[in-house]
Amino acid sequence: MELVLSMAIGVLAASGIWLLLRPRTFQVIVGLALLSYAVNLFIFSMGRLTVGAPPLMPKGGFVNPTAYADPLPQSLVLTAIVISFATTALFLVVMIASRGVTGTDHVDGKERET
Amino acid sequence: MIDQNLLLVLVLLPFLAAIATATLPVHAHNAAAWVSGLFLAGCLLVLAALHQTVADGGVLVRTIRWVPALRMNLSFRLDGFTWLFVTLVTAIGVLIVIYARYYLSKSDPVPRFYSFLMAFTGAMIGMLLSGNILVQVVFWELTSIISFLLIGYWYQSPAARDGARMALIVTATGGLCLLAAMLLLGQIVGSYDLDRVLASGDIIRAHPLYPVVLGLFLLGAFTKSAQFPFHFWLPGAMAAPTPVSAYLHSATMVKAGVFLLVRYFPALGGTEAWFFAVTGTGMATLIVGATIALFRHDLKGLLAYSTISHLGLITALAGIGSQGAILAAIFHIANHAVFKASLFMAAGIIDHETGTRDMRRLSGLYRFMPLTGTLAIVASAAMAGVPLLNGFLSKEMFFAEAADWHNGTWLDNSLPYLATFASVFAVAYSLRFIMTVFFGPPPEDLPKEPHEPSPWMRRPVELLVMVCLVVGILPGVTLGPALNDAARAVLGADMPYQNIAIWHGFNTPLIMSLVAMALGTALYLGFAGRISTGPEGPPVLHRLRAQRVYEWLLLRLSWSWPRRLHRAFSTDQLQPQLRLLVALTLVLGGAVLWGAMAPSDNPRTNALNPAFALMWLVGAGCAIGAAWQAKYHRFAALISLGGAGVVTCLTFAWFSAPDLAVTQLLVEIVTTALLLLGLRWLPRRREEIAEDKLLPARLRRIRDLVVAGIGGACIAALAYVMMTRPLVPNVGDWFLRNSYYEGGGTNVVNVILVDFRAYDTFGEITVLAIVGLTVFALLRRFRPASESVDQPEQRRAEAQDGLRDYMLVPAVIMRWMFPVMIVLAAYLFVRGHDLPGGGFSAGVTMAIAFLLQYIAANVRWVEARITVLPIRWMGFGLLIAGLTGIGSWLFDYPFLTAHARYVDLPLIGRIPAATAMIFDLGVFALVVGATVLMLIAIAHQSLRSARLREQDAEPEQKEAA
């Protein structure tokens, strides 16, 4: 499982980085979204990968922490998901505003000079 | 204790006045003057109430703990010296307010002027009263900043802007030096308390860092007090309105530097280095200022250089530092403030009533304004040091110190001659001021017909000139006791009482005065004609100007060099920057992790589930597909992106993170909707861009592919190594153990978010609110590209019918889903503390409920039926979250401490009811608000462009008609 997940993270990150370096705003926005998946999964996997034991505690009694998934990366990633939505929205708006102002969807606001 | 608190009142009153005047209407001249005047009068009352304490030699201290970790306390102290100084500042402040009321023209905006003036007074008083040397620097820099605003009050004029900027750069740079000096002082002494520092003179002077501290300290004081060679900013600051000049250059701004010199004399002074640096600079400034003043043609320019020279005199006295010299320095601070304020005001009256300040054009004004003329003559006599006026007394004391006091160095031996030399020029320029302006033939072609000003504009001058006379004739009765209190406060209580008298007999100082007066008169009479036809400065010397050096340096530092650096190291293009960023991350990450990346010998793994591998095969395909298609097939890329998102979401669910799975799924929906809305505004791109097939473009792509491949491989390797490491106990275990007992919830993720780490969440929702507002603000001024304004093909009339048909069933379903979704949101919210759910996911669900209505019907239909006020949702959300946090203060707990319990509800049963739930409610409301705000803002753009189309269509129809 670890091998698959880490390879998945690698593919997501590689696609994200590739798109990040592209000249069109839409490519960059998709790249950022992919990169945020990769990063979220990466942070999430820094806890322990546990199958079938969500961090929901019994009400009272002794708790053996190692029997549950690590809650801390989960809460970190939860806020990261919401924030990455917000930044995507912000970037989208900047993108369409810049498109309206400059008339192009190139990231520099003008086509490459040849 | 009342006295101590009065100190706080003293500092606060001017700032309150600043706030009060800032809120007044633009043309409320009278109201602003009254408010400012009354607040300052309040300060004077406080000072009067405190006088007895300081006259008895007491020191009032009021300390508020501010940043104890930095040993920075908001501490204020009042002794005899600061009492005198603050009284001077406040009293002249009142007069300035009265004067400014009649000086400012009707079109000048009032609130800005008075609020800056009051804030400046407050900063100055704060600086004087600070009992902590760091706080003193804070107020010191505050005076620099506010003086910038005051000098630049008429910002329409380039001279005012340049003058203000120059003053700010010079004095604020000095302020930074002063900060460094104070930090060093604090380190040497072990305390930032002013009393401790002043009492530790021996330790400081013996410390190896003493020369450094002294140098930095003096840079601060000299730049502020316009000492040579930093004097050039002061004449430039003359572009300010005259009330500002009269205030800044008489009692306040420039006096701050000499105040510091006198105040810190016990801590830093008394060494040979101090004597040479301070007295040497002071004497140089005295002579340079006096010499240049004689040759200036501008009235205020003459006064500015005269101010510089008098500051030099005070500095020289502080450098000598004997008991008499300190007393004389304090005396001259007060005297100079009084006569220079009156002279500036008189110059302002002349400028105001004649329209010019050029002494070559002014002449014979005495017959038009005899009262102002008399006042100005008396005040300039005080400036020249004529007997029976206050300027004479302190000047005599200066001469006495220069002649009597000896430490045997060459500078000391030459002091009497230098003092007399400068005094000759002082007499000459005072004489020139009077003779050219008030006497001689009547003026010709002045911009205005000269006449006396309105009486109230003259009252402040009258009062100040009267003070000159009274102090000059009866020094021992009027200012003597206060001066002795002040000098004792500086030098220690054992200083004997010094009697200030007019007549000391026919002694050396008197001879020096007489010589200066005779030679000065001769100098003026001999060269009057040549001075008025000559250049603006002494012969030869006027070509050498410190300002040139400053401008040369400023141009290099702020313009040429940065541009050269920018050209050499920077690019405007985003792609190279991002490439650099990625490459740098890879290199640095590699450098740090190299060697530490070895996989563990005994890897910790879960058995592979083929379904999981298959799932990620699809996920990876989606990711690569999105990367592949994002340029030409945006829609396909978007769908692939969604696919990758769904697989991510499933992975969260697989590895025991239900909260994440829920949130990811909901956010995925919203993101996709958002991006779909955005697609409409991008240019269509169907055919290949020709250049993309050329070799350079291919090379670029290959290079990026390599970078991306390496990056992905590194991250994958890192992830694998980290995942297979043996487990170590971490902070997460603590949260698992304590979430129920401490946070009262069984869903640990939610408890962390709303209880243990609620403050982080609070910060995060604030960010969300800011982003929402930014999106909203950016879109308010949005102008689509011309080709996107037209309605898209799919929505033209012919396509519209078909669309309506096949949207009918989904639209009805979506409409009916609305209440269901709301219930779902409520369910997610309520169970959040114990089971997967919570404010975030409930909020996004609620937002989706609204979103579906927008999708099902058109915007107008929806908005005729539901009113969503997203900004209010956000505002109330943030308020609820913040108030929940503040609520815990009521029970004496830190911000955002939560209380948890369970409540039995009929029918529903036991539900968790922690205060953290209220906080979560805030999170919920904010997430709803921000999400809906962003979506609606983008969705509304179609409406606006429809309106644009209608506007375009109208004129055409008219033409056709």
Side-chain angles (χ1 to χ4, degrees):
Chain A
M1 297 291 254
E2 278 75 9
L3 194 64
V4 174
L5 186 57
S6 48
M7 275 163 62
I9 292 172
V11 171
L12 285 173
S15 318
I17 294 173
W18 154 262
L19 282 175
L20 209 58
L21 301 175
R22 298 295 84 216
R24 302 290 153 188
T25 45
F26 187 77
Q27 292 175 303
V28 177
I29 205 170
V30 172
L32 280 176
L34 285 173
L35 207 57
S36 72
Y37 293 148
V39 171
N40 285 347
L41 280 171
F42 182 81
I43 296 173
F44 171 67
S45 69
M46 288 304 102
R48 41 185 175 258
L49 291 187
T50 321
V51 181
L56 302 174
M57 297 298 104
K59 292 185 178 176
F62 173 75
V63 171
N64 172 23
T66 46
Y68 297 95
D70 192 347
L72 193 62
Q74 293 196 14
S75 39
L76 287 178
V77 172
L78 197 134
T79 52
I81 292 172
V82 179
I83 286 291
S84 62
F85 160 69
T87 49
T88 307
L90 185 60
F91 184 41
L92 179 82
V93 169
V94 172
M95 174 179 106
I96 58 181
S98 127
R99 151 85 178 130
V101 173
T102 63
T104 165
D105 65 339
H106 195 280
V107 283
D108 295 332
K110 55 178 187 240
E111 294 295 327
R112 182 185 292 275
E113 288 154 19
T114 49
Chain B
M1 198 60 201
I2 294 174
D3 283 0
Q4 274 85 337
N5 283 333
L6 279 178
L7 276 184
L8 295 181
V9 173
L10 197 56
V11 179
L12 277 179
L13 270 181
F15 286 111
L16 291 179
I19 296 171
T21 46
T23 54
L24 290 173
V26 177
H27 295 297
H29 282 267
N30 284 326
W34 273 108
V35 169
S36 322
L38 286 178
F39 271 93
L40 288 189
C43 285
L44 284 177
L45 281 181
V46 172
L47 284 164
L50 297 176
H51 177 246
Q52 198 49 51
T53 318
V54 294
D56 297 341
V59 177
L60 286 169
V61 181
R62 177 77 170 90
T63 305
I64 302 168
R65 285 160 65 84
W66 187 15
V67 195
L70 295 176
R71 283 183 282 170
M72 188 152 152
N73 292 322
L74 206 57
S75 159
F76 297 103
R77 73 190 279 289
L78 184 76
D79 60 14
F81 180 41
T82 42
W83 186 88
L84 182 68
F85 219 125
V86 174
T87 310
L88 196 67
V89 168
T90 321
I92 293 189
V94 174
L95 299 180
I96 294 287
V97 165
I98 298 171
Y99 178 78
R101 160 64 190 85
Y102 295 92
Y103 178 86
L104 291 181
S105 76
K106 288 205 163 54
S107 57
D108 287 324
V110 165
R112 197 152 55 86
F113 182 84
Y114 286 94
S115 62
F116 289 165
L117 196 68
M118 288 301 104
F120 181 81
T121 313
M124 191 67 202
I125 293 177
M127 200 285 291
L128 295 170
L129 291 181
S130 293
N132 179 297
I133 59 178
L134 289 180
V135 175
Q136 193 156 41
V137 179
V138 173
F139 279 111
W140 174 277
E141 289 290 51
L142 206 56
T143 59
S144 293
I145 292 166
I146 303 173
S147 70
F148 166 76
L149 297 170
L150 277 171
I151 296 169
Y153 176 70
W154 285 322
Y155 57 81
Q156 300 87 345
S157 122
R161 292 199 299 267
D162 287 346
R165 193 181 53 188
M166 191 156 66
L168 179 70
I169 291 178
V170 174
T171 57
T173 314
L176 289 179
C177 295
L178 187 69
L179 174 64
M182 291 304 190
L183 287 171
L184 284 174
L185 264 183
Q187 293 298 320
I188 293 172
V189 176
S191 165
Y192 292 108
D193 187 59
L194 182 61
D195 283 314
R196 289 273 306 276
V197 172
L198 292 183
S200 320
D202 294 331
I203 305 173
I204 299 168
R205 282 186 290 267
H207 199 273
L209 280 177
Y210 171 70
V212 182
V213 176
L214 185 64
L216 289 168
F217 174 85
L218 290 182
L219 273 178
F222 287 170
T223 47
K224 196 81 157 189
S225 277
Q227 295 297 299
F228 179 82
F230 308 112
H231 61 281
F232 55 89
W233 69 263
L234 201 147
M238 287 300 136
T242 299
V244 172
S245 311
Y247 199 33
L248 258 55
H249 305 145
S250 66
T252 55
M253 177 87 167
V254 294
K255 288 289 166 60
V258 287
F259 164 79
L260 220 59
L261 290 176
V262 173
R263 173 94 280 178
Y264 284 81
F265 173 77
L268 291 165
T271 60
E272 188 144 300
W274 169 276
F275 172 70
F276 271 98
V278 179
T279 306
T281 312
M283 290 312 284
T285 314
L286 172 64
I287 292 168
V288 169
T291 319
I292 299 179
L294 178 58
F295 294 92
R296 300 298 285 192
H297 300 313
D298 177 24
L299 265 185
K300 279 176 83 177
L302 184 150
L303 292 177
Y305 277 100
S306 139
T307 302
I308 293 173
S309 109
H310 280 276
L311 289 166
L313 189 157
I314 301 169
T315 305
L317 279 170
I320 294 171
S322 64
Q323 290 181 344
I326 294 294
L327 188 77
I330 300 170
F331 195 18
H332 201 66
I333 287 175
N335 289 338
H336 174 253
V338 171
F339 67 68
K340 196 48 72 64
S342 62
L343 278 173
F344 268 116
M345 288 185 193
I349 292 176
I350 293 166
D351 184 16
H352 202 256
E353 306 305 336
T354 64
T356 179
R357 299 193 315 232
D358 192 332
M359 280 191 280
R360 288 168 297 189
R361 298 177 67 187
L362 293 167
S363 169
L365 287 184
Y366 193 78
R367 65 200 78 181
F368 298 103
M369 32 175 79
L371 289 172
T372 311
T374 312
L375 294 172
I377 290 169
V378 177
S380 28
M383 174 163 76
V386 173
L388 293 186
L389 291 164
N390 61 353
F392 169 73
L393 295 171
S394 42
K395 199 169 200 172
E396 284 293 276
M397 288 162 81
F398 169 57
F399 284 164
E401 289 304 318
D404 294 350
W405 186 78
H406 283 298
N407 65 356
T409 55
W410 60 267
L411 179 61
D412 175 58
N413 291 332
S414 53
L415 276 183
Y417 305 101
L418 296 174
T420 315
F421 178 75
S423 195
V424 169
F425 279 88
V427 171
Y429 69 66
S430 303
L431 210 53
R432 180 173 178 226
F433 176 56
I434 296 308
M435 295 306 284
T436 46
V437 174
F438 291 106
F439 298 102
E444 286 162 25
D445 71 302
L446 286 178
K448 287 184 197 166
E449 188 61 30
H451 58 84
E452 281 287 348
S454 73
W456 274 101
M457 194 164 177
R458 221 174 42 226
R459 292 282 179 270
V461 192
E462 287 166 0
L463 194 68
L464 288 169
V465 169
M466 204 169 77
V467 172
C468 287
L469 277 166
V470 172
V471 171
I473 296 168
L474 300 167
V477 190
T478 48
L479 215 51
L483 277 178
N484 274 288
D485 292 341
R488 277 210 198 106
V490 175
L491 292 172
D494 50 348
M495 188 186 132
Y497 191 90
Q498 302 219 0
N499 207 4
I500 303 167
I502 306 178
W503 183 249
H504 290 282
F506 198 75
N507 53 6
T508 324
L510 193 59
I511 295 171
M512 287 161 74
S513 275
L514 292 177
V515 169
M517 263 184 260
L519 285 180
T521 315
L523 178 68
Y524 173 68
L525 294 178
F527 292 94
R530 284 173 67 182
I531 290 170
S532 62
T533 52
E536 282 251 54
V540 186
L541 274 178
H542 73 272
R543 291 175 204 282
L544 297 171
R545 293 179 62 192
Q547 195 180 343
R548 294 253 173 86
V549 180
Y550 159 83
E551 273 161 7
W552 181 89
L553 207 64
L554 194 68
L555 182 72
R556 296 292 175 293
L557 283 177
S558 70
W559 189 255
S560 332
W561 291 344
R563 302 206 137 231
R564 214 173 291 165
L565 271 179
H566 182 76
R567 267 200 303 276
F569 291 107
S570 185
T571 164
D572 287 344
Q573 295 178 326
L574 180 70
Q575 285 174 279
Q577 295 178 23
L578 281 177
R579 205 176 296 128
L580 211 64
L581 214 63
V582 172
L584 213 67
T585 313
L586 284 177
V587 170
L588 290 182
V592 173
L593 294 172
W594 193 256
M597 279 277 283
S600 62
D601 305 326
N602 185 18
R604 178 173 57 85
T605 50
N606 287 304
L608 178 67
N609 188 324
F612 187 73
L614 204 64
M615 186 175 91
W616 266 111
L617 201 63
V618 177
C622 282
I624 293 169
W628 188 260
Q629 298 293 347
K631 188 163 195 176
Y632 294 107
H633 304 278
R634 297 195 186 104
F635 185 68
L638 198 51
I639 300 302
S640 304
L641 180 69
V646 169
V647 175
T648 308
C649 159
L650 286 174
T651 310
F652 288 140
W654 199 298
F655 290 117
S656 322
D659 275 293
L660 291 191
V662 171
T663 314
Q664 175 80 56
L665 186 67
L666 293 166
V667 167
E668 202 54 50
I669 294 169
V670 186
T671 310
T672 310
L674 196 73
L675 289 175
L676 279 173
L677 284 170
L679 280 187
R680 179 190 177 323
W681 305 105
L682 290 173
R684 59 187 61 191
R685 181 168 293 117
R686 297 243 166 99
E687 61 274 6
E688 291 263 319
I689 295 172
E691 284 167 22
D692 279 5
K693 290 191 174 152
L694 298 177
L695 188 64
R698 277 167 197 262
L699 283 179
R700 276 202 300 274
R701 280 203 294 274
I702 291 170
R703 179 191 54 197
D704 291 348
L705 201 60
V706 172
V707 173
I710 296 174
C714 289
I715 293 172
L718 184 62
Y720 182 74
V721 171
M722 285 302 292
M723 272 187 261
T724 52
R725 289 251 155 145
L727 281 183
V728 282
N730 63 25
V731 65
D733 301 343
W734 187 91
F735 287 126
L736 287 169
R737 277 199 209 97
N738 291 287
S739 119
Y740 184 72
Y741 299 104
E742 305 257 327
T746 55
N747 182 5
V748 187
V749 176
N750 185 272
V751 173
I752 290 177
L753 284 177
V754 298
D755 190 340
F756 291 134
R757 307 295 308 167
Y759 195 64
D760 297 353
T761 313
F762 188 59
E764 197 220 341
I765 57 173
T766 313
V767 171
L768 201 61
I770 293 168
V771 172
L773 289 177
T774 314
V775 167
F776 182 66
L778 276 173
L779 285 178
R780 278 177 56 151
R781 300 255 168 201
F782 172 63
R783 290 283 170 275
S786 51
E787 62 193 76
S788 309
V789 174
D790 287 334
Q791 229 171 14
E793 249 172 64
Q794 295 82 350
R795 295 190 57 180
R796 304 254 165 84
E798 58 271 28
Q800 192 75 26
D801 297 333
L803 192 70
R804 198 170 294 143
D805 288 344
Y806 57 68
M807 275 300 282
L808 185 62
V809 174
V812 170
I813 295 175
M814 282 188 241
R815 218 165 280 162
W816 280 101
M817 285 295 280
F818 189 54
V820 180
M821 297 281 288
I822 292 175
V823 173
L824 179 66
Y827 174 65
L828 280 174
F829 176 76
V830 174
R831 80 203 283 258
H833 216 47
D834 278 353
L835 292 164
F840 278 112
S841 42
V844 184
T845 313
M846 189 74 185
I848 293 175
F850 286 122
L851 175 66
L852 282 181
Q853 304 317 304
Y854 277 83
I855 293 176
N858 65 53
V859 178
R860 286 184 181 129
W861 187 92
V862 178
E863 294 193 342
R865 282 160 184 78
I866 354 174
T867 319
V868 196
L869 298 167
I871 295 183
R872 298 235 175 123
W873 279 88
M874 280 162 57
F876 280 115
L878 210 53
L879 265 183
I880 291 171
L883 288 177
T884 318
I886 291 170
S888 55
W889 286 346
L890 293 180
F891 303 95
D892 252 358
Y893 285 106
F895 188 63
L896 279 170
T897 311
H899 174 74
R901 61 176 301 178
Y902 281 79
V903 178
D904 271 312
L905 281 187
L907 294 179
I908 298 173
R910 271 163 69 82
I911 62 159
T915 56
M917 289 274 288
I918 309 177
F919 177 78
D920 214 11
L921 187 68
V923 175
F924 164 76
L926 192 131
V927 171
V928 174
T931 317
V932 171
L933 182 67
M934 291 183 224
L935 288 166
I936 291 184
I938 294 180
H940 266 223
Q941 299 313 315
S942 320
L943 264 191
R944 289 188 39 187
S945 65
R947 235 175 281 137
L948 272 182
R949 275 198 303 279
E950 280 159 21
Q951 279 169 9
D952 287 346
E954 265 171 32
E956 283 168 23
Q957 281 168 359
K958 274 181 195 158
E959 275 171 32

